[in-house]
Amino acid sequence: MLARLKMLMVFVKDSDRKNSIRIVLECLHFAIIKKSTPIDYFRNFLYRKSANNYLDYLSLKQYYSIIESEKMVFPEVSQILKNKLSFKLMAEKQGLSMTNMFGYNLRNQFIINEKTVGIVNEEDLYNVLQDLFTKNKIDKIFIKPMTGVGGSGCMLLNKNDLQTFVKTRFFDIMEHSYLFENYIEQHPAINGINASAINTLRIVHYINKKQTVHILSTLMRFGVGDSITDNTSCGGFSIAVNSLTGKLEGSGRQDLAKGGAVYLKHPDTYHQLEGFTIPYFKEACDLVLSAACIFPNRIVGWDIAITGSGPLIIEANHNPSLYLSDIAYGGLMKHPLIKEILKEINS
């Protein structure tokens, strides 16, 4: 509800919106044709003057019909994907290129190097984490919730800040479950655009009825400011990627609830976005095609980081946030694979 209110406030203040009569008529037309409340007319920026093809975008009803379809999404696979630990362990066992996990905690029980350590007080937690830093010869640990979404709850722990971290985060760690991972050193070219966050590709795969895996859509997400995550829910933005060339296309767009800003350059580094070629793009797509065969939900959104030596899987999303793909593609209803999906679902 709060997010909807924020979107409304941005819409009211947006000087680039169409005139009120046109917006009302388009909303009515959208609702009649789509047989759905035109909520995503606003979320997808279709109220702006440049958006003439508003019927080419998915309605919220169409979006949910895809991600909740038993023909596309299988509960037993989704349960694995939703739990970052179960996904991580299975993906590693299958030999997929992943970020390195040092260990995890199930509330007060820490599993590090296949040993279980019970944490009773702050000193115990300090000693476990200090030992983790020392044995792995690292200075940073990326910590993320086992069941979190949208980058919420992720933390970056620097070795020099360990004592403060333990004092301020002790009860939070004891009351939740986290993965403790190696901090990724992303490709220098991507660092040139934004070095504060790990900026990831979101690649969505689709498996047709003949079990052929397709890349449905690709986009890139970038963090903004001091945020350590690139999620749009944390103020980051997304931009389309040409699936053939691996180049960024068009402008970056921030979520409407976060201000709806449009970027031609990164707002912090002023690095030009359009035309930037993503390193190891083909390898990233190949990695997704391989992973899709192991986690065979017919539609999954993959978050891929690009390091200096190639792509790594960060995580997989059983709910691939197709509205981001919708915006990046300029209306997914034009996509032949989306037409195929909706036809199958509605048959």
Side-chain angles (χ1 to χ4, degrees):
M1 184 64 182
L2 182 60
R4 299 291 181 193
L5 202 57
K6 289 179 178 178
M7 283 193 277
L8 179 62
M9 292 172 63
V10 173
F11 161 72
V12 170
K13 295 178 181 179
D14 197 336
S15 60
D16 191 38
R17 68 179 186 272
K18 301 167 184 174
N19 69 67
S20 299
I21 294 175
R22 184 179 173 186
I23 290 173
V24 170
L25 291 175
E26 287 185 355
C27 280
L28 287 172
H29 190 212
F30 189 94
I32 291 168
I33 297 298
K34 302 282 190 179
K35 298 177 182 175
S36 174
T37 306
I39 294 173
D40 276 19
Y41 175 90
F42 298 94
R43 190 182 193 183
N44 289 348
F45 306 102
L46 303 181
Y47 68 85
R48 287 182 172 166
K49 294 173 184 176
S50 59
N52 296 313
N53 61 329
Y54 57 94
L55 292 179
D56 288 335
Y57 289 75
L58 294 170
S59 68
L60 203 59
K61 181 179 178 181
Q62 290 170 320
Y63 166 71
Y64 280 116
S65 74
I66 294 172
I67 66 167
E68 294 180 352
S69 170
E70 293 181 357
K71 296 179 180 179
M72 295 290 142
V73 178
F74 313 126
E76 62 272 26
V77 179
S78 294
Q79 286 301 320
I80 295 172
L81 300 182
K82 283 192 285 187
N83 185 290
K84 293 180 175 63
L85 176 60
S86 60
F87 167 70
K88 188 89 174 180
L89 294 175
M90 185 172 174
E92 286 181 345
K93 189 173 183 180
Q94 295 298 321
L96 294 175
S97 297
M98 302 279 294
T99 52
N100 184 31
M101 181 177 70
F102 299 123
Y104 57 92
N105 76 299
L106 300 171
R107 299 193 178 239
N108 72 316
Q109 297 296 317
F110 271 67
I111 294 82
I112 306 289
N113 296 326
E114 299 182 353
K115 294 182 180 180
T116 301
V117 181
I119 303 299
V120 176
N121 51 42
E122 291 182 9
E123 183 179 0
D124 290 341
L125 179 59
Y126 179 91
N127 289 336
V128 165
L129 294 178
Q130 179 64 48
D131 192 50
L132 194 155
F133 276 118
T134 302
K135 286 186 175 179
N136 291 285
K137 299 179 181 179
I138 53 173
D139 296 318
K140 297 178 182 178
I141 302 172
F142 192 78
I143 305 171
K144 64 183 180 185
M146 202 170 287
T147 56
V149 295
S152 176
C154 291
M155 297 171 277
L156 179 60
L157 172 58
N158 288 285
K159 184 178 181 179
N160 294 336
D161 300 328
L162 179 56
Q163 192 168 27
T164 301
F165 175 86
V166 170
K167 286 185 177 296
T168 58
R169 295 286 187 172
F170 177 76
F171 290 106
D172 176 54
I173 297 293
M174 293 300 98
E175 292 172 1
H176 299 91
S177 299
Y178 291 90
L179 305 187
F180 294 78
E181 298 183 340
N182 187 36
Y183 183 73
I184 298 170
E185 296 295 337
Q186 70 184 346
H187 197 284
I190 297 175
N191 265 339
I193 299 178
N194 175 47
S196 64
I198 301 302
N199 309 285
T200 58
L201 280 166
R202 167 62 62 86
I203 303 178
V204 180
H205 87 241
Y206 160 64
I207 304 174
N208 67 15
K209 289 200 287 188
K210 296 181 179 180
Q211 295 301 301
T212 302
V213 185
H214 297 274
I215 300 298
L216 179 66
S217 69
T218 54
L219 56 88
M220 187 86 179
R221 299 180 306 180
F222 289 97
V224 171
D226 296 327
S227 176
I228 62 171
T229 67
D230 61 359
N231 301 79
T232 55
S233 58
C234 296
F237 65 90
S238 59
I239 182 171
V241 177
N242 186 300
S243 294
L244 297 176
T245 65
K247 293 180 181 291
L248 302 185
E249 289 188 336
S251 55
R253 291 180 182 270
Q254 188 184 49
D255 193 283
L256 190 61
K258 295 297 180 180
V262 177
Y263 301 117
L264 297 177
K265 299 179 179 180
H266 193 282
D268 299 317
T269 61
Y270 304 108
H271 194 292
Q272 181 73 33
L273 297 172
E274 184 165 26
F276 174 79
T277 300
I278 298 167
Y280 296 108
F281 179 73
K282 182 183 181 302
E283 289 81 355
C285 291
D286 289 342
L287 179 57
V288 166
L289 294 176
S290 298
C293 299
I294 299 169
F295 299 95
N297 264 6
R298 294 181 59 193
I299 186 165
V300 172
W302 298 86
D303 294 340
I304 309 292
I306 306 297
T307 72
S309 56
L312 295 176
I313 295 173
I314 301 293
E315 60 187 45
N317 302 271
H318 75 287
N319 177 348
S321 300
L322 284 180
Y323 81 93
L324 291 176
S325 300
D326 211 6
I327 295 169
Y329 194 77
L332 278 176
M333 290 297 292
K334 298 181 295 184
H335 200 305
L337 293 178
I338 287 292
K339 293 178 181 178
E340 180 180 304
I341 291 169
L342 290 172
K343 182 179 179 180
E344 181 183 347
I345 289 171
N346 296 322
S347 62

